[in-house]
Amino acid sequence: MLKIRLSMGGVRKRPVYKIVVADSRAPRDGRFVEKIGLFNPLLPKDKKERIKVEAERVKYWISKGAKPTLRVSRILGEAQLMPMPKPGNNPQKAVPKKERKKTEEPKKEAPKQEAKKEEPKKEAKKEEPKKEAPKQEAKKEEPKK
């Protein structure tokens, strides 16, 4: 299956991404079919150089069945080549991570206790170890010279 996705480039702490058409089984920075654009996240959103996309090639590959990843579909939405995807629903995003963990712990413990009550413990069948017959070694006599 073909995907339109980002391939990372640049140097440490200065990423630059290529927008490529690649097989979904290929590694992120590995083999791709065609490079169809660039994305530089370090530039401000109002600069034209932030996103460079070959619109005709994007439309061609989408018509051939290539599916953009969520991040690429957002980039293409900004470039007005396709509609913007729906924003995700993460109500916990605004809550600090430490407080998030505190609220999640009681929820995780409750289902475990219920599962224990519903299913009684099943004892594993005890099997005796297999008894192997002693091996008889055949000794070959070598002719003496």
Side-chain angles (χ1 to χ4, degrees):
M1 175 177 190
L2 290 176
K3 293 259 186 194
I4 300 175
R5 64 183 184 194
L6 297 175
S7 176
M8 192 171 179
V11 295
R12 187 167 53 109
K13 299 199 178 192
R14 290 180 164 235
V16 176
Y17 297 94
K18 294 183 280 189
I19 301 171
V20 297
V21 178
D23 191 322
S24 61
R25 297 169 291 185
R28 179 192 71 186
D29 300 333
R31 190 175 67 185
F32 58 88
V33 178
E34 184 179 352
K35 177 182 160 189
I36 56 175
L38 285 171
F39 172 61
N40 188 349
L42 298 177
L43 294 176
K45 291 186 177 184
D46 57 346
K47 290 228 176 184
K48 290 183 180 180
E49 296 86 37
R50 179 180 166 95
I51 300 170
K52 294 180 184 176
V53 181
E54 296 177 29
E56 294 175 15
R57 298 308 294 168
V58 171
K59 291 176 184 175
Y60 170 78
W61 284 111
I62 289 176
S63 70
K64 291 292 182 184
K67 295 193 176 185
T69 60
L70 181 61
R71 181 64 53 185
V72 171
S73 60
R74 290 180 68 193
I75 291 170
L76 295 176
E78 286 179 26
Q80 299 175 350
L81 294 175
M82 62 184 300
M84 282 289 274
K86 291 184 200 175
N89 183 17
N90 186 0
Q92 297 293 320
K93 187 173 182 180
V95 180
K97 195 169 189 178
K98 290 180 182 177
E99 293 177 21
R100 239 185 281 171
K101 288 182 180 179
K102 291 177 185 175
T103 59
E104 289 177 4
E105 287 176 5
K107 293 179 184 177
K108 289 182 181 178
E109 291 175 5
K112 289 180 183 177
Q113 292 172 355
E114 292 174 8
K116 288 180 182 176
K117 291 178 184 176
E118 292 174 7
E119 296 180 19
K121 292 184 179 178
K122 297 179 182 178
E123 294 182 22
K125 295 180 182 178
K126 295 181 180 178
E127 296 181 11
E128 295 180 22
K130 295 180 181 178
K131 296 179 180 177
E132 296 180 9
K135 295 180 181 177
Q136 295 178 356
E137 296 180 15
K139 294 184 179 179
K140 295 182 182 177
E141 294 182 19
E142 295 181 16
K144 294 182 180 179
K145 292 184 182 178

